[in-house]
Amino acid sequence: MSDTNQLLEEITGSEYKYGWTTNIDTETAPKGINAEVIRFISQKKNEPTWMLELRLKAFRHWLTLEEPRHWAKIQYPAINFNDIIYFAAPKPKKQLKNLNEVDPELLKTFEKLGISLEEQKRLSGVESSIAVDAVIDSVSVKTTFKEVLAEKGIIFCSFSEAVQEHPELVKEYMGSVVPYTDNFYAALNAAVFSDGSFCYVPKGVRCPMELSTYFRINSAGTGQFERTLIIADEGAYVSYLEGCTAPKRDENQLHAAVVEIVAHKNAEVKYSTVQNWYPGDKDGKGGIYNFVTKRGICIGNNSKISWTQVETGSAITWKYPSVILKGDNSIGEFYSVAVTNNLQQADTGTKMTHIGKNTRSTIVSKGISAGKSNNSYRGLVRINKGAHNARNFSQCDSLLMGDKCGAHTFPYIEIKDKSAIVEHEATTSKIGEDQLFYCNQRGIETEKAIGLIVNGYCKEVLNQLPMEFAVESQKLLAVSLEGSVG
Amino acid sequence: MLSIKNLKAGIAGKEILKGINLEVKAGEVHAIMGPNGSGKSTLSNVLAGREDYDVSDGQVLFNKKNLLEMPPEDRAREGLFLAFQYPVEIPGVSNINFLKTALSEIRQYKGLPPLDTKEFLKLVKEKQALVEMQGSLANRSVNEGFSGGEKKRNEIFQMAMLEPTLAVLDETDSGLDIDALRIVANGVNMLRAKNRAFVVITHYQRLLDYIVPDFVHVLYNGRIVKSGTKELAMELEEKGYEWIKELAPAV
Ligand SMILES: Nc1ncnc2c1ncn2[C@@H]1O[C@H](COP(=O)(O)OP(=O)(O)OP(=O)(O)O)[C@@H](O)[C@H]1O
Ligand SMILES: [Mg+2]
């Protein structure tokens, strides 16, 4: 054990692969937040008046709120909201011929990130492809496979475009799940949100490919405030993926997103995140503050929303992807792996609100802490009066590596209906010396062994991810824990 | 192949091995017997390189290399295999994946490319047959929920897959039913080869009916107090350990 502790002391922090910057001209809003800046953003996006009005309303509300700093188990210095640039858009080097043309510099950026913006038609057909909406700083630079999807009536575009092209849908649904009054960061987001993705799957349509958004922060001093809205109409199905990275910087950058999902009768939405924002260095310098509000509503009967997240990045992660189970027989799921190393902090979990009858929710959370990090699960299961026969099963496991990190579990349960069955299981374990030795004895070195054991530990969650993401995540987990031996 | 000279080792400040001497040549099978707590598992753990143990004196050469200087994974890659007395469970990691990783690491160490999936699966099939192991066990998580006997059989399966030059079997026969015992012994016998040696730790002479050893040693109180051939095992079975204790130097 003493030797492993020594190894622990030598934590080098994982090599963050995505820490580079693209050298592009950017157009930015002046630093700080005020009505002028909000008008600037709205004008840049050529928004209709109703959208600007909405932003300003949210902004005025935000001014009355205080930054929530105390209830979550995270620590950071107060954020100076006037020291942030709220809008940054890459400026193309030359005049582009048409809307579909993308600055080659940006194409290269995404290529380097392993994201293809080419619509390669594979021999096996489009089924094996993934449609991508690529967002850099405050704007979406390209959305692929739009036409193919449009043939099925599926709308997949940037949020900005949706505001222009599908105002009726945006007006109807935006803020219907996460109103700007919801919380401090939701209000801020509603005021200054930049880009994000919009997706509408019409009645009875199964989306034929995975949809995804790739978020990239590039500019210094900026915040990213994206907004995503997914609507699955009656009987529709869509699986949606989200990935994110950012350059290495000594300063902290704020990322405050809002994601809203609406599932109508018999519809199903699967939302998967692989979050790999820059986590800061081993001394806790720099990194992204990831303060995100994600919520879905199962508004129709027999609908289902499933969140899967693999959180390895960010200096601070603060998010609770939730489901409001309004329709009868609706299902909410939350599968999460949160890894913290070095001085990272994560306070994450979910909220399942049971309103309809026979509603079911499943929560599987795997927290892995290494280094001097802190990792908390915080979850609320609420069974409202009238939610007859509601069921919840929660499993919250924590894995500790070494003795300098922390794992905490805060399960809240509120039951207003006697017929409910709520089960909660929690375990805390350490990576066993005997497991590591067993691997060593078979010729597997300790670092690899940890990767293997951790991936095994998270299997239930990783199994929920689409194949390509699962493989990527396995590698990511191993890299995130490099240098941490327990 | 393995040469242990005056090996002294302990744990938590307590000396357990008090000067072990043992020579194992390629092609040989050595059996080690001895009462509970005499240091048999300690010896195998020290050979395999478990960190908790402190070696205070002595020397161990494995294929002419200083074994005690190597990290445990390199000992394994050099061809040392330990079948654990208590095999460890690794939830969520399939046996197959585990072995594929292990085999690649060992091959890489030897400068060999990893087997492709087809070759690997062929090898799995072949070795499974050798230990008459059900295919479903190979696909399950490493030892998780395995019965005691299944765990032991899995150790032999792993040994067959990794093809070590020296295998130390720590009470692999304990907890096996009669059929499983025969299967495990068969597995070992089929792996017996000119360039491979076995150290078999056991409490029961019965195993040695199946795996016939070249030498039998009695470990008592951290020392090998008597060595002989397979007849010694029968004598122990008959007389117990009392008479052996008298052979040990007074403490
Ligand atoms: N972690 C430890 N701390 C203190 N003593 C230990 C520790 N591990 C083993 N020992 C002691 O070392 C001695 C030898 O143990 P070992 O497991 O090597 O015996 P063994 O010969 O394999 O016995 P068995 O036949 O029961 O398997 C025992 O007295 C045991 O209690
Ligand atoms: Mg033992």
Side-chain angles (χ1 to χ4, degrees), chain A residues 1-4 7 433-435 437-446 448 452-457 459, chain B residues 48-51 72-73 76-77 80-82 84 88-93 98 102 105-106 143 155 158 162:
Chain A
M1 195 65 205
S2 60
D3 276 7
T4 18
L7 258 171
E433 289 283 299
D434 46 354
Q435 284 177 332
F437 179 62
Y438 192 72
C439 293
N440 291 158
Q441 211 303 303
R442 299 302 185 245
I444 304 166
E445 61 179 19
T446 303
K448 257 223 167 87
L452 206 63
I453 296 166
V454 164
N455 273 306
Y457 174 78
K459 198 174 192 176
Chain B
R50 189 155 189 144
E51 267 183 8
E73 60 271 23
R77 294 162 180 174
L80 175 72
F81 181 92
L82 170 62
F84 286 63
V88 177
E89 302 189 358
I90 311 179
V93 179
F98 179 70
E105 295 278 294
I106 292 171
N143 293 324
E155 293 291 287
Q158 292 186 21
L162 301 180

Side-chain angles (χ1 to χ4, degrees), chain A residues 68-95:
Chain A
R69 304 188 43 82
H70 301 295
W71 59 266
K73 203 169 168 56
I74 54 179
Q75 281 181 340
Y76 61 98
I79 295 171
N80 180 355
F81 289 93
N82 274 318
D83 202 29
I84 294 172
I85 297 169
Y86 288 84
F87 183 85
K91 250 198 300 204
K93 284 215 174 67
K94 57 172 178 118
Q95 198 60 42

